[in-house]
Every structure is written in structure tokens, then in C-alpha cells.
Amino acid sequence: MAQPKTAVRRAGGVEYTLTRRRVRNINLRVRADGSVAASAASWVPASAVDAFVAARADWVCRARQRVAARSEAEAAAPLPGKAEALAHMRALCEAYYPLFASTCPGGRMPKVAVRNMHTRWGSCSLRTGTLAFSLRLCTMPAAAQEYVVVHEFCHFAHPDHSPAFWAAVGRVLPDYRARRAMLRTPPPGPGID
Ligand SMILES: [Zn+2]
């Protein structure tokens, strides 16, 4: 009979599921519900996975606090509907577009997308001429939303975070640092790219 692929184990006070997969070594993660999952190649002894998890008990504890804080923040500010969010972000982009028309691909208003992104507030694709925004951004203060819009527009001219990029952001929003700081609370806000 085949060996079960997933087993529940306990190490260093941490209960976790061990799944056997074709991974190089040992992977460990804390899921959004706070449960802990490890995966390891079949040749790694379970005792070695236990030791790996036990050595990271503190890290697991901190990661659990982070996911708990995140779900509290999400419960406090429910996400808007996607269509509503898209209309809102598109209107915001259209308001700023005239300032950036000369650097937008083809000189045209970029496509605007809203996605359920967890790790970024916004992104800019030079290739497709698309500005994409996290659905969660719509729950943040307007000043912060404007900052993300300007940040992403500036990437059409500067596809990096060079001093020239920040100078371009600062020309449109001289107080961009204060606006950016709004996105860092509540922890752990996603980063911005
Ligand atoms: Zn960026």
C-alpha cells in the first residue's frame, strides 16, 4: 500500500502537516488560517523535518501573528466589489493621465486593471501598457491611492526605483513620503512595485 503523502506532526510546540513532494530540501510556510505546512522530499527523514520546524518555532509564531493581524485588518475593511473598484481606479488614473501622456506607451491612456493582489499595491506593465492595482488599495485613504497611481505612471518613464524615478514622483506629489507611509499601516501592508 502506498504511504500516505501527508502526515500531521508536532515539533518544538508547533503542530504541522508534512507533505512529501518533489522539492529540493524542506519548505515551511504558515497559511492564511495560521496552520503550518511543511513539505520535504521523500528521502528527508521526518526527524530532520521536525528539527527544522522546531528550530523555526519563533519564526512560525511571528508569521502567525502577521496573518492574524492581516485577517483582522481585512475584517475591519471589507473589500469593495471589483467593478466598483475598477471604475474608481480608472477615474483616478484618467485624472492623472494628462500629466503623463507623453511617457505612456503609444501616448495613450493605459489600460487599468484591479486585481486581488496581496503582495503589491500596484504594478505597471510597460509591455502591455497596463496599470494594475490591488483591490485593497480602494480601502486606503485617497491620498495614498493617488500616490500609488502616480508611482505606477512614473514607471513608464523610469522602470526602476532610481533617484530619477523618485524625483519624477516628487514633482507631481511633493508630499509623497507621507502618502507612502499611509500604506505601511496597518502592518503588514503589502509592498509596492
Ligand atoms: Zn515601483
Side-chain angles (χ1 to χ4, degrees), residues 5-166:
K5 279 200 159 174
T6 299
V8 177
R9 300 185 63 84
R10 214 177 161 76
V14 177
E15 190 181 279
Y16 73 98
T17 57
L18 171 57
T19 305
R20 296 301 188 171
R21 288 188 216 282
R22 290 186 173 190
V23 293
R24 194 187 289 265
N25 287 305
I26 303 171
N27 295 331
L28 181 66
R29 67 193 183 97
V30 173
R31 297 195 190 97
D33 64 1
S35 62
V36 180
S39 50
S42 56
W43 51 265
V44 177
S47 59
V49 184
D50 283 351
F52 184 92
V53 172
R56 286 159 183 79
D58 284 348
W59 174 85
V60 167
C61 186
R62 287 195 302 276
R64 277 182 165 153
Q65 284 166 354
R66 279 199 301 274
V67 298
R70 179 173 297 179
S71 42
E72 256 174 54
E74 291 186 357
L79 289 177
K82 223 166 184 177
E84 186 193 345
L86 180 60
H88 173 75
M89 292 313 300
R90 186 177 283 141
L92 201 53
C93 290
E94 280 168 357
Y96 278 96
Y97 165 68
L99 292 174
F100 297 100
S102 63
T103 54
C104 289
R108 281 193 300 273
M109 169 70 196
K111 288 187 260 269
V112 177
V114 170
R115 301 186 185 124
N116 210 344
M117 302 194 281
H118 289 289
T119 57
R120 298 166 166 196
W121 290 108
S123 69
C124 169
S125 168
L126 209 55
R127 190 173 55 81
T128 63
T130 304
L131 300 180
F133 301 95
S134 162
L135 200 52
R136 179 147 303 281
L137 181 61
C138 297
T139 68
M140 301 306 283
Q145 296 175 14
E146 290 160 11
Y147 159 69
V148 177
V149 165
V150 168
H151 180 120
E152 301 309 337
F153 262 120
C154 286
H155 274 319
F156 284 132
H158 307 277
D160 51 24
H161 293 126
S162 61
F165 167 82
W166 290 113

